[in-house]
Amino acid sequence: MLWRYIEQMLDLYKNVDGIVVVNCDGFIEYYVTHRPGSNHLTNEKVARKHVLDVWTNLTEESSTLLNVLRTGKPMLNVIQTNHTYMGDVIHSINSTMPITNQAGKLIGAVDVSIYLPSEKPPADLRLDVKKDFSHLGKPLFTLKDIITNSEEMLKIKEQIEKISVTGSSVLIYGETGSGKEMIAQSIHSSSLRAAKPFIGQNCAAIPLSLLESLLFGTTRGSYTGAENKKGLFEMADGGSLFLDEINSMEIGMQAKILRVLEERKVRRIGGDKEICFDVRLISAVNRPPAELLSGEFFRSDLYYRLSPVQIFLPPLRRRKEDIPLLAEHFIEMFNNSMQRDVVGVSEEVLQFFCSYSWPGNVRELKNVVEGCFNIMSGRYIQMSDLPQYMLPETSFSFDDEDRPRQSLQEKVNCYEKQLIQDAVNHYRTLTRAARALSITKQGLRYKMEKYGIEFPVR
């Protein structure tokens, strides 16, 4: 399993001298040095040996690899002097990161190092690695990660295989929580750009004032506190840039994105230099394209520039055959991460899952299963373990037992709260939610405070 990470690391760290990959038990899965004259170790000589058998002066406490395996936390810029079992002494600066699988389970660790010539390296020396390797513990999704029996989804997987060999822009439409980023990552992972960066950004999560500098980069002195910093287009050079909910951008920002895409050049804020980039743009919207084009909130010229290839991702309610598969997948995931032994869902829960509308799609199903793991006591998820909001609504019934408990105003308030909550969950911004409810933003803000409603955390 660890071999899937090795090619990524070799490409990212040609500027370092050594790379070591170990499994969760501390046995070496892979070793490479770009300075073979500095020691006698090779992959053939150390593979399948334990860390402490190769570097004989290290202990459970002093080895960065074993520390990371024990704690699950990275250790950066650690100066070490290591003695090998072949008699070599290596002075180096090491940065060690955990490796986890999709379920969040620790499966190993990777160590990158720069060798130092001095026998007594200065204590304040630091490793300056230009590229961010924090994502190596979270490998990108691939086609194999798309779990489905749905005919529509199987066709999408075939479509991804076909478009993976091209560099055309891709537009993904799908409801919130339907798995748009998984599709975007799978496109990148299947493409010729797979060894290059994949950068993802949710446009709705960033204020307009920050989005421009985030995308295009900044020049020192362009505004108070600004530094020379690459934007996402530069960071993704050679790879893929995924812009989720791109329809949430203001019209003015859309025009700037269009210009950048047409010229394939970007200029940092405050800068005067045009910087060329080679990026495959994958974007996503959470509203139907026809609805976007009929309104005044999305430029048609940008839409056509983004969508030479279009993927329409069906909501979970339209692929109910996937619900048992996905539930089983998430149960296995949380069994691994929470050290549980849950067998599955009860027959009653499975029938309910297949009849439920899943407004939050796959993300909601995952969150529901996780919530059940936190409160259930048996080995099967029961109806009593499900969150209250999923169960059939009884608040608005008018039987004799209910009448004394709720007044008309209380029922109206409850209904109003539910309408506002649904709008906030769907539109995710104050402006769009207020427009959908036909009230002012100030009025919506007041009612949200009144009912204790907050925007969902992404």
Side-chain angles (χ1 to χ4, degrees):
M1 181 179 292
L2 293 179
W3 280 92
R4 65 186 296 190
Y5 306 95
I6 291 172
E7 288 302 322
Q8 287 184 2
M9 290 182 288
L10 287 176
D11 182 72
L12 287 173
Y13 299 108
K14 291 176 181 176
N15 62 318
V16 301
D17 297 316
I19 299 175
V20 183
V21 181
V22 300
N23 63 23
C24 58
D25 297 316
F27 289 90
I28 297 170
E29 294 278 343
Y30 185 83
Y31 171 87
V32 65
T33 177
H34 297 298
R35 288 176 58 186
S38 62
N39 63 80
H40 295 88
L41 299 182
T42 64
N43 187 57
E44 291 74 19
K45 293 177 180 177
V46 302
R48 294 176 295 280
K49 293 184 184 295
H50 194 271
V51 169
L52 300 184
D53 293 329
V54 174
W55 292 282
T56 55
N57 66 308
L58 295 180
T59 65
E60 294 276 352
E61 291 71 30
S62 62
S63 167
T64 57
L65 281 163
L66 298 183
N67 266 284
V68 168
L69 289 176
R70 184 171 61 253
T71 65
K73 298 179 180 179
M75 297 182 68
L76 306 179
N77 303 331
V78 178
I79 298 175
Q80 285 193 317
T81 297
N82 297 333
H83 298 259
T84 75
Y85 77 101
M86 301 187 73
D88 302 306
V89 178
I90 305 172
H91 304 289
S92 61
I93 305 176
N94 297 67
S95 285
T96 312
M97 302 293 294
I99 299 175
T100 58
N101 62 15
Q102 293 293 342
K105 183 179 179 181
L106 185 71
I107 60 173
V110 54
D111 178 275
V112 296
S113 57
I114 283 182
Y115 299 155
L116 302 174
S118 171
E119 294 186 1
K120 294 182 179 180
D124 59 348
L125 192 59
R126 291 294 180 265
L127 174 61
D128 183 18
V129 178
K130 299 296 184 183
K131 296 186 179 182
D132 175 19
F133 52 91
S134 60
H135 68 282
L136 288 177
K138 298 180 180 179
L140 299 178
F141 289 112
T142 68
L143 280 173
K144 294 181 180 179
D145 296 309
I146 302 176
I147 300 170
T148 184
N149 277 333
S150 162
E151 185 175 342
E152 284 185 272
M153 292 298 295
L154 291 174
K155 288 181 178 178
I156 288 175
K157 292 181 73 170
E158 292 178 3
Q159 187 179 2
I160 291 174
E161 289 181 332
K162 292 177 181 178
I163 67 176
S164 63
V165 296
T166 75
S168 299
S169 297
V170 181
L171 179 68
I172 305 169
Y173 160 63
E175 295 179 3
T176 298
S178 57
K180 296 186 290 295
E181 183 154 9
M182 173 181 280
I183 298 298
Q185 291 187 12
S186 298
I187 293 171
H188 175 80
S189 299
S190 303
S191 74
L192 301 176
R193 299 171 178 263
K196 298 297 182 179
F198 175 91
I199 305 294
Q201 177 60 51
N202 188 308
C203 299
I206 302 294
L208 177 63
S209 58
L210 298 179
L211 184 60
E212 185 173 0
S213 60
L214 181 67
L215 290 172
F216 303 149
T218 57
T219 302
R220 178 176 295 176
S222 56
Y223 57 84
T224 303
E227 297 291 338
N228 292 325
K229 187 176 181 181
K230 290 182 178 181
L232 297 187
F233 281 97
E234 287 184 74
M235 293 170 62
D237 187 37
S240 303
L241 175 60
F242 174 55
L243 298 180
D244 195 7
E245 296 195 34
I246 195 169
N247 54 297
S248 67
M249 285 184 181
E250 300 287 347
I251 290 292
M253 189 64 193
Q254 292 178 28
K256 295 178 181 180
I257 291 289
L258 180 62
R259 180 188 63 81
V260 166
L261 293 178
E262 289 177 341
E263 297 180 0
R264 312 298 290 180
K265 297 178 182 178
V266 67
R267 180 185 297 171
R268 296 182 186 179
I269 295 177
D272 55 7
K273 179 183 178 183
E274 296 281 358
I275 302 170
C276 297
F277 62 85
D278 173 26
V279 167
R280 182 180 201 171
L281 186 65
I282 306 172
S283 52
V285 295
N286 59 3
R287 295 171 62 186
E291 181 181 327
L292 293 176
L293 294 174
S294 65
E296 301 176 355
F297 307 105
F298 200 71
R299 293 176 61 109
S300 59
D301 49 1
L302 177 59
Y303 173 81
Y304 295 124
R305 184 67 181 78
L306 295 173
S307 57
V309 178
Q310 300 183 26
I311 294 178
F312 295 89
L313 197 56
L316 187 56
R317 62 181 174 275
R318 269 179 43 192
R319 47 186 179 110
K320 293 187 180 294
E321 60 268 47
D322 286 346
I323 292 175
L325 278 176
L326 290 167
E328 181 180 351
H329 168 71
F330 293 135
I331 286 172
E332 181 181 357
M333 175 189 298
F334 292 118
N335 272 336
N336 289 331
S337 62
M338 297 186 182
Q339 288 77 52
R340 299 287 297 276
D341 189 24
V342 176
V343 176
V345 300
S346 70
E347 189 64 31
E348 184 182 10
V349 169
L350 182 59
Q351 292 178 3
F352 176 75
F353 277 4
C354 292
S355 64
Y356 182 65
S357 62
W358 296 107
N361 291 290
V362 179
R363 183 185 297 136
E364 183 182 9
L365 174 56
K366 177 184 177 182
N367 291 341
V368 166
V369 173
E370 182 178 7
C372 292
F373 264 68
N374 280 275
I375 64 173
M376 63 185 296
S377 54
R379 299 187 67 193
Y380 286 88
I381 295 176
Q382 306 291 340
M383 290 294 293
S384 58
D385 300 319
L386 301 181
Q388 188 66 33
Y389 80 87
M390 294 183 70
L391 303 179
E393 180 61 66
T394 58
S395 300
F396 305 116
S397 62
F398 286 92
D399 54 34
D400 290 338
E401 182 181 354
D402 183 62
R403 188 174 295 114
R405 290 205 309 255
Q406 269 193 323
S407 67
L408 174 62
Q409 187 59 52
E410 288 173 331
K411 292 179 184 293
V412 170
N413 289 344
C414 188
Y415 184 56
E416 182 180 55
K417 178 181 179 180
Q418 187 61 53
L419 288 176
I420 293 172
Q421 184 70 69
D422 289 346
V424 166
N425 288 341
H426 181 74
Y427 292 102
R428 300 292 181 124
T429 71
L430 198 67
T431 301
R432 296 208 298 268
R435 186 183 299 119
L437 294 168
S438 299
I439 60 177
T440 64
K441 288 196 297 184
Q442 292 80 6
L444 176 57
R445 187 179 291 110
Y446 165 76
K447 290 181 180 294
M448 289 176 66
E449 292 177 356
K450 172 183 176 182
Y451 295 122
I453 297 173
E454 298 180 355
F455 278 104
V457 177
R458 291 183 177 271

